[in-house]
Amino acid sequence: DIQMTQSPSSVSASVGDRVTITCRASQGISSWLAWYQQKPGKAPKLLIYAASSLQSGVPSRFSGSGSGTDFTLTISSLQPEDFATYYCQQANSFPPRAFGQGTRLEIK
Amino acid sequence: EVQLVESGGGLVQPGGSLRLSCSASGFTFSSYAMHWVRQAPGKGLEYVSAISSNGGSTYYADSVKGRFTISRDNSKNTLYLQMSSLRAEDTAVYYCVKELLRIAVAGYLDYWGQGTLVTVSS
């Protein structure tokens, strides 16, 4: 099975900061990767699919890049509503469509 | 507006069974694969199962294979997850999720229900 590893597990940042979260797949997955945002008590929200395609309605400060085994999610200028937990997910092979362990983005 | 409403969660004893339902509206249900994803209390997301748009193909995580069965009724716009031989480690919020891509089972999850809590305990 393909394993997904995110880093860091948590990060503290301030409003206006640029933040980058990385996700590494245990084997190549081409561009079959998605990023989700989850706020406490809420369902996850799709931000990015196919590694770099911005989901409709998602602010342009969110961007994704990478292919193969290494991927990044970048938030160019943090807004107060961006503090949440972020998950990557591989969509290359079944089973499973594995998620990363999550990165908690906290206010500094 | 896309809406996914799960039901059927609750408290069940180890070894017991439960059937979750997900009522879908706001999109052409029969054109999209559907998924179940779960989240144990305080933990991360775990992918559970998927079903193709016509129900002809199903997929399961190893942790539930042989115990859970996914199905759908396109005439009723409803997705199901039949869970049996339940274990304490199956305790989680179960989300019904819509596939982003029409027809494909890519695993990109664009609309999520509010989730239903399943608790397996004696």
Side-chain angles (χ1 to χ4, degrees):
Chain A
D1 292 358
I2 299 174
Q3 310 297 324
M4 308 301 293
T5 303
Q6 289 181 232
S7 62
S9 296
S10 65
V11 58
S12 296
S14 301
V15 172
D17 285 354
R18 179 184 181 91
V19 171
T20 297
I21 299 168
T22 65
C23 179
R24 174 163 288 177
S26 59
Q27 61 190 78
I29 58 170
S30 185
S31 295
W32 291 98
L33 185 102
W35 290 97
Y36 300 86
Q37 176 195 67
Q38 186 179 32
K39 296 182 180 179
K42 300 293 187 182
K45 173 186 175 182
L46 177 64
L47 300 175
I48 302 284
Y49 63 96
S52 60
S53 295
L54 193 67
Q55 170 65 348
S56 176
V58 174
S60 59
R61 62 181 179 273
F62 291 92
S63 64
S65 64
S67 66
T69 61
D70 294 315
F71 302 86
T72 60
L73 172 70
T74 300
I75 310 172
S76 60
S77 178
L78 273 173
Q79 298 302 299
E81 61 268 29
D82 299 337
F83 293 94
T85 299
Y86 293 84
Y87 295 92
C88 64
Q89 178 219 5
Q90 69 90 3
N92 181 73
S93 63
F94 259 124
R97 293 286 197 248
F99 290 91
Q101 80 278 16
T103 295
R104 187 173 177 182
L105 177 53
E106 301 173 316
I107 300 174
K108 184 182 287 185
Chain B
E1 178 193 7
V2 172
Q3 286 199 319
L4 299 168
V5 180
E6 303 96 337
S7 60
L11 176 63
V12 60
Q13 292 189 337
S17 298
L18 211 57
R19 188 176 85 155
L20 305 183
S21 300
C22 172
S23 177
S25 61
F27 65 103
T28 306
F29 182 72
S30 60
S31 293
Y32 292 88
M34 295 294 294
H35 308 260
W36 289 99
V37 175
R38 69 185 181 184
Q39 187 168 35
K43 302 297 184 182
L45 300 171
E46 181 185 13
Y47 194 90
V48 174
S49 184
I51 187 166
S52 60
S53 57
N54 65 4
S57 298
T58 57
Y59 308 86
Y60 300 94
D62 288 345
S63 57
V64 306
K65 196 176 297 182
R67 301 188 299 120
F68 289 13
T69 302
I70 191 172
S71 62
R72 64 192 296 162
D73 186 335
N74 285 348
S75 68
K76 295 181 178 179
N77 288 353
T78 303
L79 175 71
Y80 303 100
L81 185 68
Q82 178 68 48
M83 305 184 294
S84 61
S85 302
L86 283 161
R87 308 165 180 166
E89 54 265 36
D90 296 318
T91 295
V93 173
Y94 285 73
Y95 292 103
C96 165
V97 196
K98 173 187 167 291
E99 168 69 51
L100 170 69
L101 303 178
R102 197 165 174 270
I103 303 298
V105 190
Y108 295 133
L109 314 173
D110 65 342
Y111 284 96
W112 298 59
Q114 83 288 353
T116 187
L117 177 62
V118 172
T119 303
V120 183
S121 175
S122 55

